[in-house]
Amino acid sequence: MENNLEKYADVANCPVRNVLDRFGDKWSTLVLLLLDEAAVMRFNELHKAINGISQKMLAVTLKTLEADGLIIRTQYPEIPPRVEYKLSKRGASLLPHIQNLVQWANTNFDAIEESRASYKR
Amino acid sequence: MENNLEKYADVANCPVRNVLDRFGDKWSTLVLLLLDEAAVMRFNELHKAINGISQKMLAVTLKTLEADGLIIRTQYPEIPPRVEYKLSKRGASLLPHIQNLVQWANTNFDAIEESRASYKR
DNA sequence: GTTATTAGCTTACTTTTGGTAAGTAAAGGT
DNA sequence: ACCTTTACTTACCAAAAGTAAGCTAATAAC
């Protein structure tokens, strides 16, 4: 049993940690969900769609998602500039799992809120 | 379409955000995975199993997981104290989804690492 | 009588993350 | 000459998360 547990011990190069960290952040999942619905979106579209995100945070989020190969950025040499974002194959393969979590979250949200409210000490 | 997107706009009381935030943190998933394997674990067992977590962070993590009703804490009035943690039904119902993500992370880890390494600008 | 055990709590400190506001570039309209 | 548009970047600041180390309390072992 001790051996079985060791599996998760090494946080630094744990695939799970390393990947989960990426959409454990504040905005990544939101971006992925939006891109899943809309097929293609521009920077300002995303900025308007995600109420509360700053331009900086959106830029950072998009950049790391692109770096991980989860989304594809296409820029057209026009002026004013046009940049489009869409899900990559890899991103699309991740999405069903996120959707499952979303569904779980939706069905369990009320109960969890209650638990939190009644939790003392 | 604009309407469709609005769904995710209100971050504050979005069930998705609100729940995903909870195990988007650094340690929660690890604790849940461990408890899934071991059925029952004590504080120090967890502390040893999760290499790198501090006592404070473990305490905080366990407390929020308990508050959300994902784990059950049972304390025995002995000295020295004995406290046992296990998954609740709700926690157990979440676990398959996390396992799916873990699997996705494992199969895609190498490719993502490569993407990250070759990503410039 | 000192030390170890257990499950934390507390304090002080550092690091990471997120947010605000302003600036940039290049061309086209007025 | 100046404003607008788009997709960012930069500098700065606040808040959240994480770390290290010490404290507690009761008992049993040495």
Side-chain angles (χ1 to χ4, degrees), chain A residues 64-78:
Chain A
T64 65
L65 287 175
E66 194 201 352
D68 285 9
L70 296 173
I71 64 174
I72 293 168
R73 181 192 127 112
T74 315
Q75 94 178 299
Y76 300 89
E78 304 171 0

Side-chain angles (χ1 to χ4, degrees), chain B residues 10-79:
Chain B
D10 189 4
V11 176
N13 37 9
C14 163
V16 181
R17 264 268 61 66
N18 218 291
V19 173
L20 290 193
D21 277 355
R22 272 321 214 263
F23 51 93
D25 72 353
K26 205 169 173 184
W27 308 107
S28 294
T29 28
L30 245 25
V31 170
L32 291 174
L33 288 167
L34 284 168
L35 288 182
D36 184 50
E37 294 195 1
V40 175
M41 274 204 248
R42 302 180 64 175
F43 188 91
N44 278 350
E45 276 184 279
L46 286 163
H47 190 225
K48 277 166 207 155
I50 304 174
N51 199 308
I53 195 173
S54 68
Q55 286 186 317
K56 174 190 159 189
M57 277 301 109
L58 180 54
V60 169
T61 302
L62 290 170
K63 214 178 275 181
T64 66
L65 287 174
E66 195 202 352
D68 285 9
L70 296 173
I71 64 174
I72 293 169
R73 181 191 130 112
T74 314
Q75 96 178 297
Y76 300 89
E78 304 172 0
I79 282 169

Side-chain angles (χ1 to χ4, degrees), chain A residues 22-50:
Chain A
R22 274 320 214 263
F23 52 94
D25 72 353
K26 206 171 174 183
W27 309 107
S28 293
T29 27
L30 244 26
V31 170
L32 290 174
L33 288 167
L34 283 168
L35 289 182
D36 183 49
E37 295 196 1
V40 174
M41 274 203 248
R42 301 179 64 175
F43 188 90
N44 278 351
E45 276 184 279
L46 286 163
H47 190 225
K48 278 166 207 153
I50 304 174

Side-chain angles (χ1 to χ4, degrees), chain A residues 66-69 90, chain B residues 110-120:
Chain A
E66 194 201 352
D68 285 9
R90 190 181 297 161
Chain B
D110 292 344
I112 288 178
E113 286 274 279
E114 268 180 53
S115 292
R116 281 181 199 170
S118 65
Y119 182 77
K120 298 283 170 254

